[in-house]
Amino acid sequence: MKKLAYDLVIIGGGPAGLAAALEAKKNGVQKILICERAPYLGGILNQCIHNGFGLQYFKEELTGPEYASRFIEDVENSDIDVKLETMVMEILEDKKVIAVNRKDGMVQIDTKALILAMGCRERTRGAITIPGSRPSGIMTAGTAQSYVNLEGYIPGKEVVILGSGDIGLIMARRLTLEGVNVKGVIELMPYSTGLIRNKVQCLDDFDIPLLLSHSIIEVHGKERLQGVTIAEVDKNLKPIEGTEHYVSCDTLLLSVGLIPENELSNNLGCEMDKVTRGPVVNEKRITNIPWVFACGNVLHVHDLVDNVTQEAEIAGKAAADFINNKMNKEEKDVIITHDNNIGYIVPQHIDALNNTEQMIKFFLRVKNPDENVRLIVKDNFDKTLLNFKKSIVEPGTMVTFNLPREFVTKDTSSIDITISKEQA
């Protein structure tokens, strides 16, 4: 078996892996390797030819390929090594990564630190168990996006989309512009699960119907999809008898959620968050294994790639500090707790002693939409650290905020975050 040695190995060459590699290089890491299983860098951004990327990070509107190319060019102009079409098979506890590709065969890579940046994958029909036959014409929205934008193939003439996730909303508009009859988007929940701007720009502007609190209860067709039966659901998400109706279509796109790609993380023994389905990390994006970091959609599914980049830079900087022995070996965990309307918060805990940054960045999602709320952060002494108003919160859009590091002291043991209705 071929053997290599690097200071830092990054698994994944999408937006998280690229940004983490560049930040680690900027902070003094000498030998960096990116392992990417696809034949190109950039990940899913390569098929996202619509604009809307980079508004936060670059302060300008870019397409997905334009956003990715800025990081790819920087990596190519550096001495960061990249191995494409390389599949990581296993991560060993003694800081060894086992990978395989056509050129090298099996290769063992010794490393000082590792960043997990494998991204996420779409939920398929098997994950949501729609009853009915198994004809062709049913695929994920991301697969359809690849067909249309990369291969120039239109998947059908009459399309129904299940799920109002962002990829589904984007594809509703994309297919309409290509002349396809998009008959509607069916959403199980009583609200859209994608970004508000995507609902407005992709559905409302094109008069594409959005049926909330509805689901598909049966698929029809033998060889090719012929139609679906739709029904309204009650508050328990169960179909309401008598509300069924048939919609003819030859294509069904699924936009019903994303799953972080964490098979390697699980096998390595990373502690996992049951809600995000990604590793539990502290504010530096360190997992429970001191030399393993995680960032991007493998950690939790983000709404914007700009947020992925910011989080990856946190992990890249922290990995550099670890490799260059700039971290205090002593740790003091501060636990993060939250109220019932918050679905999850990342990071899940803070190290109070390794306090080199001035700000701690938080990402969270709420469970239910609400208006005119206040986000309040308190410590274990019931002291209010932050208190600010949000005019609207909804599950499709992440809430982000920075907590000044000076608020977390050696006496802090927990921080509680609540989002509640503003008092009149």
Side-chain angles (χ1 to χ4, degrees):
M1 183 187 300
K2 186 175 182 178
K3 295 186 178 180
L4 302 171
Y6 282 87
D7 295 326
L8 175 62
V9 173
I10 298 171
I11 306 175
L18 293 169
L22 290 167
E23 190 66 17
K25 174 57 69 175
K26 177 182 170 184
N27 284 277
V29 180
Q30 297 299 314
K31 294 191 65 179
I32 301 174
L33 173 66
I34 298 174
C35 293
E36 169 56 51
R37 66 186 175 189
Y40 43 75
L41 293 172
I44 196 172
L45 288 175
N46 292 295
Q47 68 186 56
C48 299
I49 64 171
H50 55 281
N51 58 16
F53 300 91
L55 287 168
Q56 289 185 13
Y57 192 80
F58 289 113
K59 310 301 181 190
E60 59 181 306
E61 194 169 38
L62 305 171
T63 66
E66 287 173 335
Y67 189 97
S69 69
R70 297 195 176 190
F71 293 91
I72 294 171
E73 288 173 7
D74 286 346
V75 167
E76 291 176 343
N77 290 328
S78 73
D79 60 356
I80 296 171
D81 287 342
V82 175
K83 284 189 176 296
L84 298 174
E85 297 184 273
T86 299
M87 176 71 78
V88 172
M89 308 298 292
E90 189 176 11
I91 307 165
L92 304 178
E93 293 180 357
D94 55 352
K95 299 184 180 180
K96 290 179 172 51
V97 176
I98 308 299
V100 62
N101 62 34
R102 287 186 180 180
K103 180 180 178 182
D104 301 313
M106 294 288 286
V107 56
Q108 174 184 301
I109 309 163
D110 290 3
T111 185
K112 298 176 181 175
L114 177 76
I115 295 180
L116 305 170
M118 294 88 77
C120 58
R121 62 174 179 268
E122 292 177 282
R123 297 179 75 199
T124 62
R125 180 182 178 184
I128 57 175
T129 59
I130 306 174
S133 55
R134 301 177 63 84
S136 63
I138 302 174
M139 66 195 76
T140 66
T143 299
Q145 187 178 51
S146 176
Y147 282 152
V148 176
N149 293 345
L150 297 182
E151 301 178 38
Y153 172 74
I154 304 299
K157 297 178 180 178
E158 293 186 318
V159 172
V160 169
I161 299 174
L162 177 61
S164 59
D166 289 309
I167 305 176
L169 300 179
I170 294 290
M171 285 311 296
R173 176 179 64 184
R174 183 74 179 95
L175 290 170
T176 299
L177 290 171
E178 292 293 341
V180 174
N181 180 11
V182 178
K183 293 195 162 182
V185 175
I186 313 302
E187 172 55 55
L188 182 69
M189 304 306 291
Y191 49 81
S192 172
T193 58
L195 290 169
I196 294 174
R197 76 178 193 198
N198 283 337
K199 173 185 174 297
V200 173
Q201 296 173 359
C202 300
L203 299 187
D204 299 352
D205 289 355
F206 291 84
D207 293 326
I208 298 171
L210 171 62
L211 285 180
L212 300 175
S213 298
H214 280 72
S215 188
I216 292 175
I217 60 171
E218 189 169 2
V219 167
H220 306 276
K222 187 175 180 181
E223 295 183 355
R224 177 75 191 198
L225 180 67
Q226 295 179 334
V228 295
T229 296
I230 296 169
E232 188 176 353
V233 298
D234 61 21
K235 63 180 181 180
N236 297 315
L237 308 182
K238 302 296 183 185
I240 300 173
E241 190 173 347
T243 64
E244 304 89 351
H245 64 279
Y246 177 84
V247 178
S248 64
C249 61
D250 60 16
T251 303
L252 172 63
L253 302 189
L254 305 177
S255 180
V256 290
L258 301 164
I259 303 171
E261 296 249 27
N262 271 307
E263 286 76 10
L264 288 171
S265 317
N266 275 309
N267 291 339
L268 181 59
C270 289
E271 180 186 359
M272 306 299 285
D273 185 309
K274 292 180 180 178
V275 177
T276 65
R277 303 179 75 171
V280 172
V281 294
N282 70 9
E283 80 283 11
K284 296 179 184 299
R285 277 40 178 187
I286 307 175
T287 69
N288 60 308
I289 301 172
W291 55 280
V292 178
F293 302 73
C295 59
N297 288 340
V298 79
L299 191 56
H300 59 119
V301 176
H302 288 254
D303 54 350
L304 300 173
V305 71
D306 306 63
N307 287 329
V308 169
T309 300
Q310 291 180 44
E311 185 170 76
E313 290 180 344
I314 293 171
K317 169 69 165 53
D321 287 348
F322 176 82
I323 293 166
N324 295 324
N325 295 314
K326 292 183 178 179
M327 281 192 186
N328 188 341
K329 292 185 178 179
E330 293 186 25
E331 298 177 357
K332 181 182 184 305
D333 261 350
V334 176
I335 304 300
I336 311 299
T337 59
H338 59 78
D339 66 3
N340 287 334
N341 192 34
I342 295 176
Y344 73 81
I345 294 175
V346 172
Q348 290 89 347
H349 61 104
I350 294 171
D351 181 355
L353 299 183
N354 280 296
N355 51 0
T356 53
E357 288 78 28
Q358 293 185 341
M359 292 289 179
I360 300 170
K361 192 169 189 64
F362 285 88
F363 299 86
L364 67 87
R365 284 186 191 268
V366 296
K367 291 180 180 176
N368 299 296
D370 206 347
E371 296 180 353
N372 298 319
V373 298
R374 297 203 76 85
L375 189 151
I376 300 173
V377 181
K378 292 185 176 181
D379 65 13
N380 48 297
F381 302 105
D382 203 33
K383 178 183 177 182
T384 300
L385 307 179
L386 292 177
N387 183 341
F388 58 90
K389 180 180 178 180
K390 297 287 292 183
S391 58
I392 186 169
V393 292
E394 44 95 23
T397 303
M398 283 173 38
V399 177
T400 65
F401 66 91
N402 291 320
L403 177 69
R405 168 64 83 167
E406 62 185 358
F407 291 166
V408 182
T409 70
K410 60 182 178 58
D411 297 321
T412 308
S413 60
S414 66
I415 288 177
D416 187 59
I417 302 171
T418 60
I419 292 182
S420 55
K421 201 76 173 175
E422 188 170 39
Q423 298 298 316

